[in-house]
Amino acid sequence: MFTSNGSCGPATALDNLSKRVGQDRTLENDHVARFRDQNSSQNRAFRAESSFNTTAGAEFGQFQNTSVQRNYFPSAELIRKNTRFGDNWSSEFRQQQENNKWVEDFGAMNLENVRMEQEQSFQTMDQRTNMQAMSSTANAWTQEFNHMQHNKEMEYEMRIRETQRLVNAPAREVFSMVNQHSQQHNQNFTHNQTQLGDQSHYMTNLAFERQFETVQNEIDGMDMFSDSEQVEQQKELQKEDDNNDIETTKFAEIAQQVFNQMNNVDTTVSQNTEHKFKQSNFLRLMDKVAQREVEINGSGDRFIDKTGNDIRDYLPDPLSDLR
Amino acid sequence: MFKFQTNGFSGYAVRYSPFYDNKIAVATSANYGLVGNGRLYVLSIMDDGNIITDISYDTQDGLFGVAWSETNENHVLTSSGDGCVSLFDTTLKDYPVMKFTEHQREVFSVDWSNIDKNLFCSASWDGSVKVWSPGSNRNTSLLTLRSLASREEKTGRIEKPIPVVQPSQVPMSKTRPNIRNDNNDCVYDAKFSFHDPNIIMSCNSDSHLQLWDTRLPNPLFMDFVAHNGLEALSCDFNRYRPFVVASAGVDKLAKVWDTRMIQPNVHSRPPRALNKFMGHEFAIRKLAWSPHGPTQLLTCSYDMTVRVWNDSPSPTSRVGLLDGASQPHAPPCSKIFSAHTEFVMGCDWSLWGEPGWVVTTGWDEMVYVWNTQRLQ
């Protein structure tokens, strides 16, 4: 129900994955249906070719389009960054394009790997080998299936011609041919029984790869923005560091002024007050700040010395002489 | 003399409880209030003289002002460097029960009205005094009094901000709103009158002492330069003389003003003070009139001393003080308390018991409770 094509619910990656995995695009359908009803016109209709052409092909095209859009369409975030970065947008855009190529390469490599495994299993299938050679990129995947459809159609026409020849042939030849065909069929059936499982696994892998690539592209789209945001954050951090440095310098200058004012009191100040000022911890702190021995830490909530320790750990106890 | 150490936290303000004779609230800040968090101490003076911590609250930013509620004995107000005013209930742990967050910069003082006990006011470096009503369970202010804007509205002219010659404000913590006050009208202190619930007094960094009547369309009804163009840091109403106020500032002077002798308009030239107290060697940070008599004034200063002044009611002695007396008179400074080893930032009189008990706190992380009558 939830995985049906007619579902109006939100299309999530998991739904798409379930649809693709649940869709029977194995060659088993072809063989079983073929031998169940070779002359039926539904044989062609049952073949996943039509569903592939209409559904899988469309979805694959949509996937390609969306992936292209995700990679290259200047979304709201990019426009926002465009206003922020100005002329650097085009270069950033190109860099994002280049950064996203690895995903396509990654997908192609994965498909190629699967096909390489398949190639070992189906050494005898020359057409498949030719298709493997053709489909070196993700875009060639459609061509591969189109080619397969074409081959199947050719094979079907061949079988029709054979059937017509059988109808027109003498009974002995027909018997021998049927006998020969049944032996081949038995051999092919046992061979196909082993191969069908591999092919089903192969198609599942392909569907999974495509879904994986879709998800990967989505993640990559997020990465694209997060990368640019990281650059922006780095710039902001750099700006904050500059501001912090300016503030630290300004604070040191103020501390120097306070220190000078307290340390060089005029003659009207009593000796007692002057002595207190000389002993003042605040005056010492101002001296250290002025000498840049003590600074405000990055989070701005404490004074730290050169070793990064909180200076309050070293303040003397005012009650030490009273205890 | 009793003492208590606020380990690692420099005292900024201290207040006696109006309900208990042995409870004290102390607003403190780490790293002298320059960076770091704050801590509110609620202390109790025990019978043996020890001072213990009833409860303490850590805050995100340094605390600069404190005031007890006049309606609930467990409620304490604090003002902090991030522009926030918090109301704590001492029966509850960890967090304030209300927060008032309209100020744009450091809030340096809070004061609870003694008459209309549902109101308190706060003074901030954003150039405004705000009146709040926590009793009505609203955390937005009732009224905002803007120092410079009100003066410009009253005089009808746009005033140039007084340029700051010295970097008067050390950068505070990073959690504060990063807004500069180029008008140089940071309000340091604001107090409700003890005699009229509608009258508020404030003093600010451009040396102005301002009186506000909250009933008026333009509440500013008196504004004058009180401290020779230098920053006015503290002000207080006399509890016994309704028209007498005092102010203190960076000019090292504590001045007594009779508001009846000052014309109720904006002055370009400073009016004459009723009395001046000279003696502090550095700026006076805080002053408080005694609750037990009309003449005693307590001041604490950046010269690390606390002084008790006697404002003689005799006009001749005041004239003598101002213009050089030919006849002998009592010295205005009666007592000097010099136990603090750093700047003394907060002081308050005890309302209870034997007159003369005061509490002081400073950047030496000490709270001293002492009696002005017994001080030698």
Side-chain angles (χ1 to χ4, degrees), chain A residues 244 251 254 257 262 265 268-270 273 276-277 280-282 285-286 296 300-301 303 312 317-319 322, chain B residues 3 5 8 30-32 34-36 166-167 170-171 174 281-282 302 304 338 340 342-343 363-366:
Chain A
N244 287 338
F251 186 62
I254 294 171
Q257 291 175 1
M262 290 178 67
V265 292
T268 59
V269 175
S270 65
T273 304
K276 279 185 175 179
F277 272 31
S280 168
N281 290 321
F282 178 69
L285 174 63
M286 289 296 104
I296 299 173
D301 57 356
F303 281 117
R312 287 203 292 168
D317 182 6
L319 288 180
L322 301 175
Chain B
K3 57 179 79 72
Q5 186 181 16
N31 298 313
Y32 308 103
L34 302 180
V35 292
Q166 293 289 333
V170 178
K174 281 194 168 183
E281 296 169 324
F282 281 91
Y302 286 91
M304 305 179 188
S338 54
H340 284 285
E342 297 282 356
F343 301 152
W363 283 8
D364 55 0
E365 303 174 4
M366 293 299 296

Side-chain angles (χ1 to χ4, degrees), chain B residues 85-99:
Chain B
V85 177
S86 304
L87 180 64
F88 289 92
D89 188 328
T90 57
T91 60
L92 303 174
K93 288 182 179 178
D94 297 334
Y95 300 111
V97 291
M98 282 187 83
K99 290 192 97 173

